[in-house]
């Protein structure tokens, strides 16, 4: 059984991209540790948006013929609007994501988990990001239903946990998980994986 997790820096988590066995030090490594009988691969790349995944999908995902595919993408599609004035519309995001899923189903990937992007706003500027991110989260939910994929909710659970421990304890910049944030993400992922 090959489980492949892909996405942006949250999945990448410092992995050695020259070593397919490298999982980084984030939730992908925690998932692998909790599933020792499975082959877990991580092809996340820091900074990626949906369009970047589209460009590398065949080589970095489909070429590995995963039995289980996990995708977490979207926060950079929002972030680049605010730090580089390079927005991705919700419509473009959804269309690109749909392309990834259609190609995956056509290639015979049987099980797909969609991990929603999350944001823990650490100040008024990041609260403004919600207007851009929330429609993208809604798009992921629609796509999960459309493609019969499993859905891993993260945005609400992170907000609930942050109410107890503080947002910075889970994501130092509101986006990139701390070790505790990665543990939470791994637990949410494993719960979805095991209860399907």
């Amino acid at each position: 059984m090959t489980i492949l997790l892909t996405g942006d820096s949250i999945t990448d988590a410092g992995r050695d991209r020259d070593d397919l066995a490298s999982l980084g030090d984030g939730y992908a490594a925690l998932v692998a540790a909790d599933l020792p009988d499975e082959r877990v691969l991580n092809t996340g790349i820091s900074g990626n948006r949906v369009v970047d995944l589209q460009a590398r999908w065949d080589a970095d995902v489909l070429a590995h013929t995963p039995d289980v595919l996990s995708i977490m993408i979207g926060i950079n599609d929002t972030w680049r609007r605010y730090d580089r004035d390079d927005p991705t519309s919700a419509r473009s995001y959804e269309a690109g994501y749909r392309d990834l899923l259609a190609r995956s189903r056509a290639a015979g990937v049987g099980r797909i988990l969609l991990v929603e992007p999350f944001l823990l706003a650490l100040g008024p500027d990041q609260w403004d990001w919600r207007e851009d991110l929330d429609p993208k989260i809604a798009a992921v939910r629609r796509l999960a239903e459309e493609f019969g994929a499993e859905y891993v909710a993260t945005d609400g659970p992170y907000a609930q946990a942050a109410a107890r421990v503080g947002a910075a304890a889970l994501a130092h910049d509101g986006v990139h998980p701390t070790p505790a944030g990665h543990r939470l993400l791994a637990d949410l992922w494993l719960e979805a994986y095991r209860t399907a």
Side-chain angles (χ1 to χ4, degrees), residues 50-163:
V50 160
V51 67
D52 300 304
L53 289 188
Q54 287 180 274
R56 64 185 182 89
W57 203 246
D58 290 345
D60 282 359
V61 175
L62 301 183
H64 300 296
T65 60
D67 301 287
V68 179
L69 170 61
S70 172
I71 307 169
M72 184 178 189
I73 196 72
I75 192 60
N76 291 315
D77 292 271
T78 286
W79 201 342
R80 295 295 85 85
R81 170 182 170 182
Y82 297 96
D83 71 347
R84 297 183 191 169
D85 193 24
D86 185 11
T88 301
S89 71
R91 179 173 292 185
S92 295
Y93 172 79
E94 185 168 358
Y97 211 136
R98 180 177 287 108
D99 173 62
L100 300 177
L101 295 171
R103 288 160 65 185
S104 300
R105 288 299 194 206
V109 179
R111 187 173 181 193
I112 301 175
L113 288 83
L114 304 187
V115 185
E116 73 180 4
F118 70 88
L119 174 67
L120 291 173
L122 296 176
D125 289 347
Q126 277 189 324
W127 278 113
D128 292 342
W129 296 17
R130 297 297 331 184
E131 70 170 318
D132 190 278
L133 182 62
D134 288 349
K136 292 179 171 72
I137 292 174
V140 181
R141 293 175 181 164
R142 286 192 296 271
L143 291 168
E145 182 175 359
E146 179 180 336
F147 284 88
E150 293 154 60
Y151 191 79
V152 183
T154 61
D155 197 52
Y158 266 84
Q160 289 178 318

Side-chain angles (χ1 to χ4, degrees), residues 1 3 35 38 68 111 113 150 152 188-196:
M1 177 76 73
I3 301 171
L35 300 173
E38 313 297 354
V68 179
R111 187 173 181 193
L113 288 83
E150 293 154 60
V152 183
L188 294 168
W189 193 98
L190 287 162
E191 181 181 9
Y193 179 76
R194 288 171 169 153
T195 58

